[in-house]
Every structure is written in structure tokens, then in C-alpha cells.
Amino acid sequence: MSAIAALSSGDTAWIIVASILVLLMSIPGAAFFYGGLAKKKNVLNTMFLTLITFAIIALIWVTYGYSFAFGSTINGIIGAPANLFMSGISPDALNGSIPTMLYIVFQLTFAALTGALISGAVVGRMKTSSWIVFIIAWATLVYLPICHWVWGGGWLMNLGALDFAGGTVVHINCGLSALALILVLGARKEKTLLPHNLTTSILGAAFLFFGWLGFNGGSALTAGGLASSAILVSIVAACAALIMWCIIDAIKVGKPTVLGAITGLIAGLVAITPAAGFVDVPAAIIIGLGASLVSYFAVYYIKERLGYDDALDVFGVHGCSGIFGSIVTGIFASPFINSAASGLLYGNPGQVGIQLLATAVSIVWAFGVSYIIAKVIDKTMGLRVEESVEVEGLDTNLHEESGYNL
């Protein structure tokens, strides 16, 4: 079949839009969301980490990242480097019903967002130079292998692991990588962190919600019923999680909080991500409610008990809700929604075991390799800024700029 005959203009148009939506999740979504939550003296540095991460990973992706993630598999471990610098890929080449170059763009935005999400854990205390070295090593040694294993024809994909839009590849990956990094980096001198501009964070959360519909809906790679279902259950899970977090806040502190509402929203979106193309609306409601319970417990109990300094709760929200969503996908995956998948409730208990394995492998690889990378950087060039820089603020010391000239 010729390229022209196989190309779907409808699918192509939708994935172009979805790619732009996922880009909006990083810039401005994550940048605004994290920037508003940071201290005023660190707002520019916090947002800069998202900007520089996206730029670095974009270049990595087109030079060698796409080839290692999605090239022909080498023993299920990594892709073959056949298309370095996009060599050999013509504008007419197809991936299914869309141009291969468009698929590359779509996956580029996923990789860049995942790296940017890690930065929320380290705000206010990490050297920018060390962050740049970390993100280059992390993208190469952590993201690319997991992406290949789950999505690129690797061994977990061949085993039947279900991850529609990034429960393992994106959220467990960034959450556990963040935890490893902060354990090496150490706690801030001033652990108290009240959002300096919550309205900016609400705007960032809105962009994240908006973009997430492209993130999950676009992962169908077609403009049809599956994309529509993925968008619907994403909205439902997010709303259920937002309501549940507000209820918990009302019970625990006597009133709902806006910070809690947007945190619950993100937790619900994280948890539905691996399941979006496999589950129905009732399952989405359960997943959303469960995500808030899991992440609330992680943020307010596990973090306090273990004492790690996850500044903006990347592990508590992305890591923990990602783990929850990845596992319960094996329970709720419905052949009525997607004929390619059946979970425990539909006569396939083995899927839960596969999901547990994929989850465990992603946890161990992301945490272990990120920890080693962080240790090496800390021993060679150091991870942290000097104490005086941390106290005075990173904006003026690292950028000679201020977020607000009033």
C-alpha cells in the first residue's frame, strides 16, 4: 500500500494537536505549576529547570534518543541505532496511519515532560550545572531503556504489560528518579514551603489538565472512539480525585484547600494515565478516588515518617499514584473498551502479575540508576549550591535576575 493511501489525514491532524497539547504540559504547564509553588526567591530557577530540560531532551531525542527507544529491538533491551539524527526517515514514512516524523514529535514531548517533572523535587538547592549533567545521563540511561521495554518493542511490551500513556514510562519513572536524586541531594535548610503565588500554580494545573487530554487521548494514535474514551475517563478520574482530596482536607483540616484541589487533580490524572485506553467510566471513578487516598497518605504520612525532602511532592504524587494506576490497570482493563486487553475482573488474573512485574522493574531501574548517577555527580562536581546561595535565593545568585521587580 502506498504512503498516500495509508495516511489518515484525520489521525494526523489529531496527533499534531495532541503533540502541541503535551508540549503545553511542560511549557507553560509544569513551569507555572512548580514556579507558583516555589519560594519567591527561587521562582525563576524553578521555571528555568523545566525550560532547559525540555530543550536538552528534545535534542537528545532527535540525535539518538528515538532510535534507542523505538528502533528495532536488540534482545528486548534497547533499540538499534539505525536512525541517528533522524537519518533514513523521510517525510513520507508512516507509523500506522500517521507520519513517522509526527510520531517522533509526539514521543519527544513525552520524554521532555518526564524529565521536567523530576525538577519539582529539587527546587531551591541544586546547582543548575549539576541538573543539566543529571538530566542528560538520566534521559540516556533511565528513560530510554524503560521506554523501549514498555513501548518500543522491548521485553515488557512483549510480555503483555499494559501502559497506555505512561504510568511506568513517565510517572513511576520520574517519581522514583526524583526520590533517588533527593536522597543524595539532601534536605533544604528551610523545609517550610508555602506557595508564593498559588494563582500561578492554578494556571499551571489548568494547562496540565488541558494538555493531559492530548497526552492520554493522543496515545490512541487515531482520531476515533478509543481516543474519545481515553479523554472521557481522564476527565472523570481527575474530577473524582479532586473531589476526594477536598473531602480529605475537609475532614483533616476542617476546610477544603485550593492547593489540595489541584494536587488531587494531578494525582487523578497520573493514576488514569496507564489505564486511559483500557478502562470504563466506573473504573475511572474508582481509580481517581484511590489516587487521592494513595497520594495524600504518601505526602502527609510517608514523607514525614521517612524524612526525605521531596519539595513539590513529585514522588508522592507522580510516583505513588503512578504505581497505583499501573497495578490497578491489571484489574480493570476491559475488552469492551479495548479488545487488546483484559484484566482480573474480565477473566485474566495473570494481567495483575504482569503489571506488578512491570511496575517493580520500573521502580528498581529508575531509582537504582538515578541514585548511581546522582552519587557520581555529587562526588565529582557536587549537587548542591553553597549554603549562602540557598539562603539568599537561586534567582539572584544563579541567574542575576528576579521574578518580580516591584
Side-chain angles (χ1 to χ4, degrees), residues 63-97:
T63 52
Y64 63 87
Y66 173 76
S67 292
F68 284 122
F70 289 98
S72 299
T73 189
I74 301 174
N75 299 320
I77 303 301
I78 199 70
N83 301 114
L84 301 179
F85 292 90
M86 303 292 96
S87 63
I89 301 176
S90 76
D92 293 328
L94 294 181
N95 185 306
S97 61

Side-chain angles (χ1 to χ4, degrees), residues 198-253:
L198 192 52
T199 55
T200 298
S201 294
I202 295 169
L203 179 61
F207 273 115
L208 285 166
F209 194 6
F210 180 58
W212 223 299
L213 304 184
F215 191 82
N216 288 354
S219 292
L221 298 179
T222 59
L226 186 58
S228 303
S229 177
I231 290 172
L232 176 61
V233 297
S234 297
I235 294 171
V236 167
C239 292
L242 185 154
I243 292 169
M244 175 56 78
W245 201 291
C246 289
I247 291 172
I248 299 171
D249 265 350
I251 293 171
K252 299 295 293 184
V253 301

